[in-house]
Each structure stands twice: as C-alpha cells, then as structure tokens.
Amino acid sequence: LLPPQQKEESVDILIAGVSARGMVESAVRSGLHHRIVAVDYFGDFDLGLLCTHRSIKRDLTPPYDPRHLIQASAGLTFDALVYVANLENHPSVVEVMAGGKPILGNSPAVLASVRDPARFFEFLVRAGIPAPKIAFSSKPLNLDSDIRWLRKPLRSGGGHEIAVHLPEDRLEPGFLLQEYLDDLPCGAVFAADGRDACLLGISEQLVGRTEFGADGFRYCGSILGSMAAGQAEWGDLVGSISQVIRAITREFHLVGVNGIDFILKGQTVYPIEINPRSTASMELVERAYGLNIFTIHLDACQGRLPDFHLLAHPDSGCFGKAILFASQTLIFQDPQRWFDQGARDLPLAEEQIAQGKPVCTVFSRGQSRSECFDRLTRVSAEIESTCLHATTPA
C-alpha cells in the first residue's frame, strides 16, 4: 500500500501486464493527478496517446514472456506498481518488478494462494459453494465415465490451451482436468477490501466466436446487462454472486478490483476461476454505470469500498466489447480513424497482424443482447474488410 503521506498526493504509478491500455485509460480519465507510465507487450497506438510507455513488441522484440516486462520497466521512475493480466500467474515477476515499492493490488502471496486451483476448489467445497469437479491426474477418470472433462493449464488465462479431454489423451505436466459444464460462461467484477466485497457488474462472456476470428475456448469479449428473465431472477443472481465474492474475499484477503469467472447453469453459479486484478469487462462497467475502475481500485486497496449497489441501477440496455482476431494475415490501416470511432487497442498504421493474433477491441451498446452483439459483428467485419483490402495488390 502507499505510505500515508502519499495516499492523497501525486505519485508516479507503473501499470504493467500483457496489455495495459484499459487500466491506463481509466487512470487518465479518473482525474487524479498521478503520473502514469506503462509497460506491456503490444505498445498500441492508443496507449501512446495516453502516457509514456515501453513495450516488449516494439522496444525489445522477443516473444511475450512476463519476465521481459521486468526488462522493459528497467530504468523507469515510479513510486508504486499496478499490474494487470496475466501477471496474476507470475507472483515472482510482480515482486521483482515492484523492487520493494508498494504494490497496489493483491500481494504476491495472495496471488499464489488464490490462483492455486487445488486451494481454490478445496475452499469452494468446504464453503458449500457449487463448483465443477477437478482432477490433477487422468487415472481416476474411469470411476465416473459420465463426466466430460476439459484440459486446462494451471496458469490459465483468456481460454488459451483449454480443450476437451478425451479418454485416450495424456494429461501433460502443468495442466489439470476440470468438469465440463456446457452452460453459459459468465464473469463478474467486484471491489474488495480484504474483508468485504462490492459487486460492480455481471456479464456474459463471448467464447470461441468465429464472428470475431476466435475458436475453441478463447475469450473474445463480453456483453454486460441483465442476464435473467425478470427482476426477481436478476435480484436472486446478484444476491448469489454477492455471497460468493464476499466468502472468497474473506478467505483469500483480496483487495482492489477483481474478477470471477463462473458458469451459469439455470440460476446456479459455478465459480471456476478468480482473476485477482482488473479484467476485460471492467470497461463495460465504467460505460454502463459511470464508475471509474482505477479510482475504485486505489480506494479499495486502502480499505474504502464504493457506495454502489448494482440492483439500484435500472436496466439501461446492454454494453458489449469484442476482441477481433485476424482470420488471415492483415495490414492495419488508419488507427486514428478507428480510434475516433471508438475502437481501442489499435496497431500502428501499416502494421502487419498475423493470422490468429488480436487486431483490436470494438465496443457497442444496444437495447438487447442481440442488438449489442450484431453491432459488434458489423464493426469487426468492417475493420477486417478494410485491412484485407490493404493486403490485396492493386
């Protein structure tokens, strides 16, 4: 935490992770007078509009490795560290990068605890919270052949390397098995002070959608909005998730803003993962409810939760974001144009994007889930069409 004399003063804050733009934009929009610097992998066009930054992709050129963020941050002046995805999987990198300076967020010890699947799922069972079964070996699977299993990396993130596990498959080191609940994938975001938690939003997760160039279990966006048929059902869902996040917060002493991934089966919440840092859907919470995630994060780290009640906010439609992945090699065009139209995480002009790599993030708003989703697909198709046109010789 920040020393007492620095809580209200302007300090230099380093924001670090694979993609820093979302939290940096929230920090700049907060109106707080902290100086922001950033290190990430992409070094996007719009990150350059916000703050001084360094990137692995542009300044170091090796493939992404969290340890390279330490190298990229070398020589930067900062008073405190805020980390974003996927550093929750690398507590030692967080500790080294901070270099003894305050970490504004969950400590490396908390990260190691809450991101340990055995520890997390053992707590869920002990607390009576519904949860999918997990296994760390494929040997006992024959005991219950009716269960379908997913193979999932221990250091998971964004749906990468998740696949259906077949009986003849070998479980490799660094992976676990998780019961496959083929229902609605969702996420919720909350602020925590180590003892209590405040629910900030609930969203449907878009996973493996070919409209955005994704496949398998790859995360490619979120749609925030009421996810129940009626007000009573929505109230029950908000109440259920609030109970779960409070129990997890008390058990693992979470602070700052956090996310929880869960499967919604009917009205039952099945937690599958805690993301103990800012998440992708928090931008939608800002747009829908007028909150500032960066301010909430700093306040929660100091023990102050927001005076916010999700049920007190009337249904204002749906807010969506989608990550567009390249269906084939693309050449990106005119980032300023797309920035002015609301897209984010934009490559530089004339930058080549390889097939399967992220291109940019698009946003939409609609009165219904389908209207919101359709707008996301239209904008994504327009951006990809423009990029594909640029790769075609005259």
Side-chain angles (χ1 to χ4, degrees), residues 21-55:
R21 192 276 316 162
M23 185 57 106
V24 169
E25 187 168 351
S26 181
V28 171
R29 193 168 47 240
S30 71
L32 300 175
H33 299 296
H34 303 306
R35 173 180 170 268
I36 304 298
V37 293
V39 292
D40 72 356
Y41 172 73
F42 293 99
D44 291 317
F45 167 82
D46 40 327
L47 182 60
L49 301 178
L50 295 167
C51 71
T52 299
H53 68 92
R54 291 181 184 169
S55 73

Side-chain angles (χ1 to χ4, degrees), residues 298-320:
L298 296 192
D299 285 346
C301 287
Q302 303 294 341
R304 302 187 297 269
L305 294 180
D307 182 17
F308 177 81
H309 304 278
L310 187 56
L311 290 178
H313 285 259
D315 186 2
S316 55
C318 294
F319 294 77

Side-chain angles (χ1 to χ4, degrees), residues 2 6 11-16 35-39 69-70 73-82 94-103:
L2 287 173
Q6 290 186 331
V11 297
D12 295 347
I13 297 177
L14 171 64
I15 298 178
R35 173 180 170 268
I36 304 298
V37 293
V39 292
L69 293 171
I70 300 172
S73 64
L76 290 177
T77 300
F78 62 95
D79 302 306
L81 170 67
V82 172
V94 172
E95 188 167 19
V96 171
M97 190 179 302
K101 296 173 182 176
I103 297 171

Side-chain angles (χ1 to χ4, degrees), residues 181-186 204-205 227 262-265 369:
L181 302 177
D182 190 14
D183 292 275
L184 188 65
C186 300
E204 173 192 349
Q205 293 183 342
M227 303 177 61
F262 64 94
I263 300 297
L264 185 61
K265 186 178 180 67
R369 188 263 183 206

Side-chain angles (χ1 to χ4, degrees), residues 103-127:
I103 297 171
L104 303 180
N106 293 297
S107 70
V110 169
L111 296 182
S113 179
V114 76
R115 292 293 292 178
D116 178 350
R119 171 87 170 81
F120 179 62
F121 280 90
E122 182 275 331
F123 163 72
L124 295 178
V125 172
R126 176 162 42 88

Side-chain angles (χ1 to χ4, degrees), residues 43-368:
D44 291 317
F45 167 82
D46 40 327
L47 182 60
L49 301 178
L50 295 167
C51 71
T52 299
H53 68 92
R54 291 181 184 169
S55 73
I56 295 173
K57 183 177 182 180
R58 306 192 191 285
D59 298 316
L60 302 181
T61 68
Y64 177 71
D65 185 303
R67 291 168 295 183
H68 293 150
L69 293 171
I70 300 172
Q71 183 181 352
S73 64
L76 290 177
T77 300
F78 62 95
D79 302 306
L81 170 67
V82 172
Y83 58 84
V84 296
N86 66 344
L87 288 180
E88 71 277 7
N89 289 324
H90 305 278
S92 61
V93 173
V94 172
E95 188 167 19
V96 171
M97 190 179 302
K101 296 173 182 176
I103 297 171
L104 303 180
N106 293 297
S107 70
V110 169
L111 296 182
S113 179
V114 76
R115 292 293 292 178
D116 178 350
R119 171 87 170 81
F120 179 62
F121 280 90
E122 182 275 331
F123 163 72
L124 295 178
V125 172
R126 176 162 42 88
I129 298 172
K133 295 180 175 64
I134 64 167
F136 295 93
S137 169
S138 57
K139 291 181 180 179
L141 299 190
N142 292 332
L143 298 177
D144 196 342
S145 58
D146 292 335
I147 294 179
R148 297 179 66 198
W149 297 91
L150 292 178
R151 185 179 69 252
K152 185 176 179 180
L154 294 174
R155 294 182 174 182
S156 60
H160 296 281
E161 298 186 274
I162 296 178
V164 174
H165 184 82
L166 302 176
E168 63 271 17
D169 291 343
R170 186 175 72 89
L171 186 63
E172 300 174 354
F175 286 80
L176 79 156
L177 297 174
Q178 179 181 292
E179 181 183 2
Y180 184 14
L181 302 177
D182 190 14
D183 292 275
L184 188 65
C186 300
V189 296
F190 60 97
D193 64 3
R195 303 169 304 279
D196 197 6
C198 174
L199 180 63
L200 303 176
I202 305 172
S203 61
E204 173 192 349
Q205 293 183 342
L206 304 177
V207 176
R209 300 301 301 246
T210 57
E211 296 91 337
F212 309 116
D215 57 12
F217 295 88
R218 195 172 200 180
Y219 171 82
C220 57
S222 298
I223 295 181
L224 180 82
S226 177
M227 303 177 61
Q231 192 62 30
E233 291 85 353
W234 175 240
D236 290 343
L237 179 59
V238 168
S240 296
I241 296 174
S242 296
Q243 289 182 335
V244 169
I245 62 174
R246 288 185 180 118
I248 293 171
T249 294
R250 288 192 297 269
E251 176 71 15
F252 294 96
H253 310 293
L254 298 175
V255 298
V257 293
N258 302 264
I260 178 172
D261 294 340
F262 64 94
I263 300 297
L264 185 61
K265 186 178 180 67
Q267 282 294 101
T268 303
V269 173
Y270 289 81
I272 55 175
E273 191 169 88
I274 290 292
N275 295 304
R277 37 75 181 169
S278 63
T279 69
S281 64
M282 289 184 183
E283 289 189 285
L284 302 181
V285 168
E286 291 192 324
R287 291 165 181 249
Y289 308 127
L291 301 174
N292 183 266
I293 290 298
F294 184 76
T295 300
I296 290 174
H297 180 65
L298 296 192
D299 285 346
C301 287
Q302 303 294 341
R304 302 187 297 269
L305 294 180
D307 182 17
F308 177 81
H309 304 278
L310 187 56
L311 290 178
H313 285 259
D315 186 2
S316 55
C318 294
F319 294 77
K321 70 178 290 185
I323 303 168
L324 172 63
F325 294 91
S327 62
Q328 56 185 289
T329 299
L330 306 175
I331 297 177
F332 197 77
Q333 298 293 306
D334 202 355
Q336 186 65 56
R337 169 196 171 191
W338 297 115
F339 177 83
D340 292 342
Q341 293 188 28
R344 293 295 185 266
D345 305 316
L346 297 156
L348 303 184
E350 303 299 323
E351 183 173 342
Q352 181 172 298
I353 311 297
Q355 182 180 6
K357 297 298 183 181
V359 180
C360 64
T361 302
V362 299
F363 296 88
S364 72
R365 179 178 181 178
Q367 289 303 308
S368 66

